[in-house]
Amino acid sequence: MSASSRLRKCLFPAAGYGTRFLPATKAMPKEMMPIVSKPLIQYGVEEALEAGLREMAIVTGRGKRALEDHFDINVELEAQIQGTDKESYLSGIRSIMQEATFTYTRQKAMRGLGDAILTGEPLIGDESFAVLLADDLCLGEGQGVLAQMIELYRQFRCSIVAIEEVSPEETHKYGVIAGDPLREDLYRIEQMVEKPARGQEPSNLAIIGRYILTPDIFDILRATAPGRNGEVQITDALAEQARRGCVLAYRFKGRRFDCGSIDGYVEATNFCYRHPS
Ligand code: G1P
């Protein structure tokens, strides 16, 4: 396993349909849903950049071209607003385009998060990388969540998932872990279950959409049979990686909004409107 301490790449699985937001997501990728005036994917890219990751690898699908356009120059628009006070609205996205590079590949069929990550392998290669699910909007305390996780990775050099305590009624929506506490906010994973049936959850520690993965995960994913919902689950591949070696679960410092649900999306919108960054 090659596990160099320097991480460069962040993978964004972004092929999902976002059916909970129909009709808004009929012709628009769910990752382009704005929180106030900034799309979810841009929050994610900013979090990755803050963590020192400059290479964004995006797994898209049909109907997702707006993602590529968002991180590209719009010649007509820029000419139109040049020299006006509206130019400042684009300064954030312009600096992202200077600092980051973007590569894209497409997932042809929805076969699960594990399959989406495996689809990104040609963009990642044989190095450790981060995974960010843009519909989990995370506002870290002090540091962003990925930056917190990369510090841990430097110390432990193994795969790490971010976790959060959720109420027992919510565990069936998540990957859930159980493990041996190494310290108050860190567990060595012993068990992982994707979307456990009610009453079957090993704890109330739910995985949220931030991962650091070592590259041996790709071979494990290739050998992982479809699990929950008939899809290849990253949770199952990580459970296997934990059996072979070590996977950590980190209770991050900060706040997460589940922007894949209407309630979480409205909450995030209200919060970001009141606390502009
Ligand atoms: C995915 C993962 C799940 C994780 C969740 C975090 O589920 O499969 O383990 O807890 O993301 O948001 P999804 O929300 O895509 O169904």
Side-chain angles (χ1 to χ4, degrees), residues 20 113 133 135-136 173-176 194-195 206-209 211 233-235 256:
R20 270 178 282 182
L113 180 56
L133 307 184
D135 50 13
D136 274 333
K173 298 183 189 163
Y174 297 95
V176 178
E194 179 65 13
K195 303 198 174 76
I207 302 169
I208 61 115
Y211 305 78
Q233 299 294 347
I234 187 64
T235 306
R256 176 194 68 118

Side-chain angles (χ1 to χ4, degrees), residues 235-247:
T235 306
D236 295 340
L238 282 164
E240 174 59 21
Q241 203 179 34
R243 275 191 286 277
R244 293 183 188 182
C246 180
V247 176

Side-chain angles (χ1 to χ4, degrees), residues 245-259:
C246 180
V247 176
L248 298 176
Y250 168 60
R251 196 200 310 245
F252 66 96
K253 291 176 191 61
R255 201 170 164 170
R256 176 194 68 118
F257 297 93
D258 172 14
C259 294

Side-chain angles (χ1 to χ4, degrees), residues 71-83:
F71 295 107
D72 195 1
I73 290 169
N74 179 334
V75 180
E76 292 86 1
L77 173 71
E78 305 213 3
Q80 182 81 33
I81 65 173
Q82 196 176 15

Side-chain angles (χ1 to χ4, degrees), residues 203-221:
S203 76
N204 67 337
L205 298 173
I207 302 169
I208 61 115
R210 300 292 181 277
Y211 305 78
I212 305 286
L213 301 176
T214 53
D216 53 318
I217 200 71
F218 292 126
D219 280 340
I220 299 177
L221 275 169

